């Protein structure tokens, strides 16, 4: 991520991620220098949905609904063998990405006000 005002975190923003601790040793240095999310304490991850709901909306019913959506999914493996590029972002490409995309779709089906 670029270190400019468009990538700065805003108060109340939330996101849904899958932590990838195995990637941390390989990406930590780069993330600490270039990624505002790392500077904010976010670990190496794959983003499922950002932004999600404002933190003022995160309550017990939201946690329960997330547990229901996530609990209906089986664990899956990912590989990170190549880099991808978006404007302002260099990232490791998760492969296969089908189950991640389905997870994002399931979350946005439940919360259509939080599109990807």
């Amino acid at each position: 991520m670029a270190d400019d005002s468009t990538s700065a975190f805003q108060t109340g923003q939330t996101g849904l991620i899958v932590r990838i601790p195995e990637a941390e040793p390989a990406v930590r240095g780069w993330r600490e220098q270039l990624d505002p999310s790392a500077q904010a304490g976010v670990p190496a991850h794959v983003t499922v949905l950002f932004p999600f709901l404002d933190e003022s909306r995160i309550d017990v019913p939201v946690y329960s609904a997330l547990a229901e959506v996530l609990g209906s999914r089986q664990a899956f493996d990912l590989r990170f063998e190549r880099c991808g590029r978006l404007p302002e972002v260099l990232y490791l490409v998760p492969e296969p990405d089908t189950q991640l995309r389905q997870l994002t779709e399931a979350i946005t089906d439940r919360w259509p006000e939080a599109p990807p």
Side-chain angles (χ1 to χ4, degrees), residues 4-26:
D4 64 18
S5 62
T6 61
S7 64
F9 293 105
Q10 297 175 9
T11 301
Q13 282 183 322
T14 66
L16 300 175
I17 65 170
V18 174
R19 293 179 182 185
I20 312 292
E22 299 86 354
E24 196 67 51

Side-chain angles (χ1 to χ4, degrees), residues 1-2 34 82-93:
M1 294 180 133
L34 303 170
R82 62 186 177 92
C83 292
R85 184 90 172 129
L86 296 170
E88 308 296 327
V89 178
L90 176 64
Y91 64 97
L92 295 172
V93 178

Side-chain angles (χ1 to χ4, degrees), residues 11-74:
T11 301
Q13 282 183 322
T14 66
L16 300 175
I17 65 170
V18 174
R19 293 179 182 185
I20 312 292
E22 299 86 354
E24 196 67 51
V27 301
R28 179 181 299 121
W30 293 107
R31 292 186 70 239
E32 286 174 352
Q33 290 179 14
L34 303 170
D35 184 353
S37 74
Q39 296 166 12
V42 177
H45 66 279
V46 173
T47 302
V48 174
L49 185 60
F50 180 83
F52 182 47
L53 304 175
D54 187 82
E55 71 179 338
S56 65
R57 293 198 47 207
I58 306 295
D59 56 13
V60 171
V62 169
Y63 283 121
S64 295
L66 280 169
E68 184 179 314
V69 171
L70 299 174
S72 68
R73 309 244 168 236
Q74 294 197 4

